Amino acid sequence: MPEVLYRKYRPKTFKEVVGQKPIKLTLQNEIASGNAAHAYLFVGPRGTGKTTLARLFARSLNCLNRKDVESEPCNTCDVCEQIISGRFMDVMEIDAASNTGVDNVRENIIASSQVPPFKKGGYKIFVIDEVHMLSKSAFNALLKTLEEPPKHIIFILATTEIHKVPETIISRCQRFDFKKIPQVDIVKRMTEIIEWENVTVPDHILSEIARRSEGCLRDAESLLGQVISLSQGKVTDELASLVLPTSNWQDIDVLVEALRVHNLSTALNQINKLVGEGIDLQSFNLDLIDYLRQILLYQSIGPSYTLDFPEDLIDSIKKHAQEFPLADLSHFLNIILDKLTIKETLIEQLPLELACVEFLLDQKPLEPAEDKPVEVPTSAEKKTEKNLGTNDIIKSLQANWSKIIDQTKAFNHSLSALLQIAHPVSVSNDIITIGVEFDFSLQQMEKPNVKNYLTKVLSDALGQTIKVNINIDQNYSENHQTFKGKNDKEVGDILDTFGGEVV
Ligand SMILES: [Zn+2]
């Protein structure tokens, strides 16, 4: 059953193939210009389209209706139909995992090369899947053929383990490296399939399937097929949970919360409780990493970052994004990736994302060259002043407000504009309340990345760690008089300039 969807919707044209764009373009170009090579090597993880493209390539080259400059097969002529159903004599698929003997390779090739191709100017094509499984003597026989390739014979060798293929073979092939299919493309393909199947599947379940399949489209389609087969036109969370081995996100959340508040005892207790209950630790680890990454991305990118999760999970992620320090998130993700040594197999871009976070985290925003640096208390002053009293904080902010506005310019001009029409209202328990006049200001400044940056700037300016709270100030006009920034522009100007959007 799992393979049904995969076979049913196997792409019939290059256009339909998901991902692998550069490979598709090159192959199509070679077909259209009549410059096919004698041997190809398709390298890459399973389920990424190697066999699909090999068959398409073979079909297109031998299609009776294809014109010279075209590259897509017609899929309706006798040859196309026979290749689709696996009955065409000139296209032979050999699974090296089951036919490892030298005889099989040699006999097939020799026997076949005696007979000219069915189509005049067509090709005899051997697709050897899992070619790394061939025996040494089979490789030698293959090599001999590759050294003096008979006219009109094309080899397409496919492998998931290139390091097991002899260099002598590799060097005689045109090599293509297949990439894992990006999650977004997998989701797009599944969206097409459920439309054809006339089934409703919530977006977050499609995302979950894409995540589970780790770049393997075949796995995704298998999982989707299983989920659909249980439903009658509508897939629910409950039905999906029978097929998808989802983690209990609440269990993960307990651990994440313990990490956030630096509570080692709760963290270790939670891990041991879950292991005692028999969870699949590997899948738990992957989900934990994904969860932390979502928090990090939401915190850094803000509401424009789409979270494809169930509602309650989205709420938890947003809550953590407000509270979990970016430095801690990045630090923990680095440690867990190191300890688990799963850097490469997981989320391809995660190490790069962490590198960006780490690099930029401690960097001061770049100052425009002509501006003087903000005069914040010196480190000596910081040490002696430690925690300022409420009055001192307000005084210090009042004195430095225009400099703070200037400093934020380097990070984001629209934030600095927003601060010009905002001011500190009160301080209590290290929480500084910033008063604004408009809902617009409130929404923009509540964005996690904007708010985090503002918190950092104010903490730096005061020499102590503070939190920021943003509110509509009912006495705005009166209170704002004292805190006006030096570039006191008209509000209308500011909103116009930035089109009402802070990134
Ligand atoms: Zn055809």
Side-chain angles (χ1 to χ4, degrees):
M1 292 292 278
E3 289 285 310
V4 169
L5 280 184
Y6 185 69
R7 277 203 220 105
K8 190 168 171 186
Y9 297 113
R10 193 189 278 282
K12 289 210 166 64
T13 58
F14 283 100
K15 203 171 156 230
E16 283 175 35
V17 173
V18 180
Q20 320 303 357
K21 205 171 170 193
I23 300 174
K24 282 195 291 185
L25 281 177
T26 312
L27 290 176
Q28 284 186 273
N29 215 359
E30 291 183 3
I31 296 169
S33 61
N35 283 325
H38 280 291
Y40 294 89
L41 186 58
F42 288 1
V43 183
R46 48 187 285 277
T48 50
K50 298 189 294 297
T51 320
T52 300
L53 273 179
R55 286 180 189 160
L56 253 175
F57 185 67
R59 196 151 76 234
S60 194
L61 280 177
N62 284 316
C63 171
L64 300 173
N65 289 335
R66 185 181 59 81
K67 310 252 175 354
D68 274 353
V69 290
E70 295 172 353
S71 59
E72 296 280 15
C74 77
N75 290 319
T76 53
C77 70
D78 279 354
V79 168
C80 281
E81 281 188 348
Q82 284 184 46
I83 295 179
I84 289 170
S85 59
R87 290 178 292 121
F88 189 59
M89 290 296 288
D90 287 351
V91 177
M92 251 161 289
E93 286 189 38
I94 300 167
D95 181 3
S98 59
N99 291 315
T100 53
V102 60
D103 291 345
N104 220 305
V105 168
R106 189 189 285 149
E107 270 173 18
N108 267 320
I109 297 165
I110 292 173
S112 180
S113 54
Q114 313 294 323
V115 190
F118 177 81
K119 177 192 172 188
K120 196 166 177 287
Y123 294 90
K124 288 185 169 286
I125 298 168
F126 295 89
V127 180
I128 307 183
D129 206 7
E130 301 297 349
V131 71
H132 60 272
M133 299 288 283
L134 286 181
S135 64
K136 201 178 168 205
S137 48
F139 268 129
N140 285 337
L142 182 60
L143 184 61
K144 236 175 174 177
T145 322
L146 288 179
E147 278 167 346
E148 288 171 43
K151 225 181 163 194
H152 300 311
I153 286 200
I154 292 176
F155 289 95
I156 303 177
L157 315 176
T159 181
T160 49
E161 297 183 53
I162 185 67
H163 57 278
K164 291 185 183 162
V165 180
E167 192 54 44
T168 45
I169 299 277
I170 298 176
S171 65
R172 296 192 182 272
C173 297
Q174 187 178 352
R175 172 175 169 166
F176 290 111
D177 287 277
F178 284 62
K179 304 269 181 286
K180 285 186 172 186
I181 315 285
Q183 261 184 34
V184 50
D185 289 343
I186 292 184
V187 169
K188 212 167 122 198
R189 178 66 178 172
M190 288 192 295
T191 308
E192 286 173 353
I193 291 178
I194 60 174
E195 255 181 61
W196 295 325
E197 291 284 310
N198 203 15
V199 181
T200 317
V201 186
D203 286 349
H204 69 84
I205 294 181
L206 293 182
S207 298
E208 184 66 32
I209 293 173
R211 245 196 307 281
R212 299 276 152 206
S213 58
E214 288 186 52
C216 173
L217 186 60
R218 191 162 56 218
D219 284 0
E221 287 171 334
S222 295
L223 280 171
L224 180 66
Q226 291 176 50
V227 169
I228 289 177
S229 69
L230 291 174
S231 75
Q232 286 174 329
K234 193 173 187 322
V235 172
T236 60
D237 284 348
E238 207 181 346
L239 283 177
S241 71
L242 297 174
V243 174
L244 301 174
T246 48
S247 292
N248 187 347
W249 291 104
Q250 266 138 24
D251 287 335
I252 292 179
D253 199 58
V254 171
L255 179 58
V256 170
E257 180 62 15
L259 292 170
R260 183 180 75 76
V261 297
H262 298 183
N263 187 333
L264 181 60
S265 128
T266 305
L268 295 183
N269 268 326
Q270 176 69 354
I271 293 168
N272 284 289
K273 182 190 117 204
L274 294 173
V275 171
E277 287 167 4
I279 56 151
D280 173 358
L281 199 55
Q282 199 182 347
S283 137
F284 181 85
N285 288 339
L286 296 180
D287 287 335
L288 172 65
I289 291 171
D290 196 19
Y291 192 66
L292 290 165
R293 174 172 175 264
Q294 298 300 329
I295 297 171
L296 182 147
L297 291 179
Y298 190 79
Q299 182 177 120
S300 307
I301 298 171
S304 65
Y305 179 69
T306 310
L307 293 164
D308 278 327
F309 290 96
E311 274 306 313
D312 52 339
L313 195 55
I314 289 181
D315 289 345
S316 314
I317 291 172
K318 284 184 177 172
K319 185 176 155 278
H320 285 301
Q322 293 277 358
E323 297 166 344
F324 211 130
L326 191 58
D328 286 2
L329 277 172
S330 158
H331 186 51
F332 181 71
L333 276 168
N334 265 314
I335 294 176
I336 195 171
L337 290 184
D338 271 349
K339 297 278 180 225
L340 299 179
T341 58
I342 49 178
K343 267 183 186 165
E344 280 153 26
T345 54
L346 189 68
I347 303 160
E348 210 180 3
Q349 69 271 40
L350 184 55
L352 182 58
E353 288 170 351
L354 290 176
C356 293
V357 171
E358 256 175 57
F359 171 69
L360 292 176
L361 207 55
D362 294 326
Q363 304 288 318
K364 287 257 183 291
L366 292 177
E367 293 286 344
E370 68 273 22
D371 284 5
K372 281 185 182 168
V374 178
E375 289 169 31
V376 293
T378 65
S379 51
E381 280 170 322
K382 274 185 203 170
K383 271 176 201 155
T384 52
E385 276 182 353
K386 279 206 172 157
N387 285 344
L388 298 167
T390 307
N391 277 340
D392 292 337
I393 287 180
I394 292 287
K395 273 185 203 159
S396 173
L397 286 177
Q398 190 174 354
N400 283 297
W401 197 239
S402 57
K403 287 172 190 165
I404 287 167
I405 290 172
D406 278 354
Q407 188 179 2
T408 54
K409 237 183 231 168
F411 169 72
N412 187 317
H413 275 260
S414 24
L415 171 61
S416 108
L418 286 167
L419 285 180
Q420 286 175 38
I421 50 170
H423 51 248
V425 176
S426 62
V427 179
S428 139
N429 293 332
D430 293 340
I431 298 174
I432 296 177
T433 299
I434 304 285
V436 294
E437 188 173 14
F438 306 107
D439 265 345
F440 163 79
S441 301
L442 183 69
Q443 282 163 18
Q444 300 298 323
M445 289 166 76
E446 277 292 353
K447 288 184 178 178
N449 60 332
V450 174
K451 195 171 176 181
N452 284 337
Y453 178 73
L454 184 58
T455 306
K456 185 176 183 310
V457 169
L458 295 183
S459 297
D460 283 354
L462 294 165
Q464 71 187 62
T465 308
I466 49 94
K467 285 182 182 156
V468 171
N469 177 33
I470 295 155
N471 266 336
I472 302 281
D473 183 356
Q474 302 303 336
N475 297 320
Y476 177 87
S477 306
E478 198 184 318
N479 292 337
H480 192 63
Q481 294 302 319
T482 343
F483 285 100
K484 272 188 178 175
K486 67 175 176 189
N487 305 314
D488 190 16
K489 286 183 192 162
E490 290 296 318
V491 171
D493 272 4
I494 291 167
L495 297 187
D496 283 352
T497 307
F498 301 106
E501 188 55 20
V502 176
V503 183

